[in-house]
Amino acid sequence: ASRYLLAGGVGNVEPVSGGVAASDTGTAAVWWSLDGRTWTKGTVNRADGIGSSLGSIYVGSGGFVAVGWSSNKTATAWSSVDGRTWQPIANRQLYADVATPAPGASSIPSFTIVDDGSHLFALDDQAALNVWTSSDGLTWQQMPFSGAIGSIPSPGQWIEGLFTVPDGLIVAGQGGSASPPELWHATVGS
């Protein structure tokens, strides 16, 4: 309500040689505006440097998270308290192609994030269906589920989407290829 943010990258892919781009030379960037007409470039502190870009921005009452990409996979998310200065944050999950966070480093439970403008929700579907909530993108708490929790999908099964509702979050998915679609509800603050 108080500002606009635009995320992406600056730079480009090196010229094409023989139909193949040599490498990605872009770097993550963000711009902010109070009115949507005059824009100021923000500061993106990069642990990864060349070959990165900020992507979708998610809003919590205490800060922002931008999920992006990096060609060398050392950082794929950033956080900001004001939308003007961004710090790299790591994923808690130890994916094969993502660097392990340093001890004490800020981290997010997953790169699958939605928001309702006050809360950030991260779906961790690597170990089991876990949903985490945060207001700032730096401190996360696991949310309890209600309903038929015995049917929650195991890792690698079908999670179709996350949807915010006034009191929390709805997760849609299937427990297996032959099972009917199901919904799970998590309540904020429970």
Side-chain angles (χ1 to χ4, degrees):
S2 63
R3 74 191 68 129
Y4 299 89
L5 296 172
L6 176 64
V10 294
N12 209 333
V13 175
E14 288 182 4
V16 174
S17 173
V20 178
S23 67
D24 187 348
T25 60
T27 56
V30 67
W31 295 263
W32 60 272
S33 173
L34 297 176
D35 61 8
R37 296 178 183 189
T38 303
W39 292 87
T40 303
K41 189 174 179 186
T43 301
V44 179
N45 294 310
R46 304 173 203 60
D48 54 344
I50 293 174
S52 63
S53 179
L54 274 86
S56 300
I57 296 175
Y58 302 98
V59 181
S61 62
F64 307 93
V65 169
V67 176
W69 59 269
S70 170
S71 61
N72 61 8
K73 308 283 190 210
T74 58
T76 53
W78 288 262
S79 68
S80 176
V81 294
D82 60 8
R84 298 175 184 190
T85 302
W86 294 79
Q87 302 296 332
I89 53 178
N91 186 314
R92 290 183 195 168
Q93 300 302 320
L94 301 180
Y95 295 103
D97 57 352
V98 177
T100 304
S106 298
S107 64
I108 58 174
S110 170
F111 299 129
T112 303
I113 298 177
V114 296
D115 71 70
D116 67 3
S118 295
H119 303 91
L120 301 159
F121 301 98
L123 171 66
D124 166 10
D125 60 358
Q126 294 298 304
L129 179 59
N130 293 312
V131 175
W132 298 79
T133 186
S134 174
S135 64
D136 62 6
L138 299 174
T139 305
W140 294 86
Q141 296 178 349
Q142 189 172 4
M143 296 178 66
F145 275 89
S146 63
I149 60 173
S151 66
I152 289 176
S154 60
Q157 290 184 318
W158 295 269
I159 304 299
E160 300 297 330
L162 302 172
F163 307 94
T164 58
V165 292
D167 66 341
L169 186 71
I170 299 290
V171 179
Q174 288 182 280
S177 61
S179 66
E182 297 188 54
L183 298 175
W184 296 273
H185 181 241
T187 304
V188 176
S190 295

